[in-house]
Structure formats: C-alpha cells, structure tokens
Amino acid sequence: ASAESLRLKVGRDMAYAIYRIVEEAVANAEKKTETTKILVSVQYKNNKLCISVRDNGNPVIQGFQTGLGMKVIETFVLKYEGSMVLENQDGWVCLLAEIHYDPVTVYEKVERKFSELT
C-alpha cells in the first residue's frame, strides 16, 4: 500500500506549535552524546496531527525529571487539546504527541465568513 501525500494548511499559531514541539524534542535528543539518529514524522490521522520524534540515544529512566523543553512541548500539546507520551520502544526513545486538527477547505472558510451575511 502506498502512502498518499497530503498538504495541510494550518494556521500560523498551530504551525508554530508544531515547529516548537519538533524543535524541543530534537534538542533534547541532541543533548544525549550517544544519539546518532533522530527521526521526525508528522502525520494526519483521524482529525489529529501525530508528531513523532525518535532517537537512538540512552533510554528514558523511570521517574526522571523533565526539563524546560518537555514543559514547552506539554504546553503546546495541551493548548490544542492533545496528548503526549515519552517512552522507550525497541531501542529508541520516542516522543509521541497528538494534537487536534480539523482541516477546513477554502470553500468552508468562505462559507463560514459570509454565512452571517445571508
């Protein structure tokens, strides 16, 4: 099965949130001297943007203290009624964040904007 590419238009605020989530997760991965690979994925599924940042550095230790970067990620995830998890999976440390996204077509935007005029 082939994956279909989809170009989503998100607003400036959401685009910034996605950027900051990825930026902070990558910065955290780069801090670990053992990290040699970082994989980033952003996918749209079931009205959610699924952001995945994986690295092959040392695993997360149970009960570790999160830093400022994770707090920034959490803030953006909560702003968009999302969820996140940081876990170890098959030799990778995985940050998985989901944020709500309801795509709107240009037709729907125009209809909403001018519906009050009719």
Side-chain angles (χ1 to χ4, degrees):
S2 65
E4 182 180 327
S5 292
L6 179 64
R7 186 176 187 133
L8 298 173
K9 293 271 187 181
V10 297
R12 182 177 296 148
D13 288 346
M14 182 172 278
Y16 182 71
I18 295 165
Y19 167 77
R20 292 291 287 143
I21 290 167
V22 171
E23 179 184 45
E24 291 296 340
V26 168
N28 284 342
E30 288 177 326
K31 288 177 187 174
K32 299 186 282 184
T33 57
E34 307 80 18
T35 300
T36 59
K37 290 183 184 178
I38 301 170
L39 306 174
V40 176
S41 169
V42 179
Q43 299 178 340
Y44 173 72
K45 297 179 192 173
N46 303 323
N47 286 4
K48 292 181 183 175
L49 289 174
C50 304
I51 304 163
S52 167
V53 179
R54 301 170 186 266
D55 73 74
N56 65 347
N58 281 348
V60 175
I61 299 169
Q62 195 77 0
F64 78 101
Q65 289 292 101
T66 60
L68 180 60
M70 288 300 293
K71 300 279 189 220
V72 169
I73 293 169
E74 183 179 22
T75 299
F76 283 112
V77 167
L78 293 175
K79 178 179 179 178
Y80 290 97
E81 302 170 8
S83 63
M84 64 177 258
V85 63
L86 181 65
E87 60 188 8
N88 301 312
Q89 289 181 353
D90 302 322
W92 294 88
V93 176
C94 306
L95 171 81
L96 306 170
E98 293 184 343
I99 57 177
H100 180 75
Y101 175 69
D102 190 15
V104 179
T105 66
V106 172
Y107 175 79
E108 290 169 329
K109 283 183 181 180
V110 170
E111 188 176 68
R112 287 179 189 170
K113 182 169 183 142
F114 296 105
S115 65
E116 65 271 1
L117 299 177
T118 58

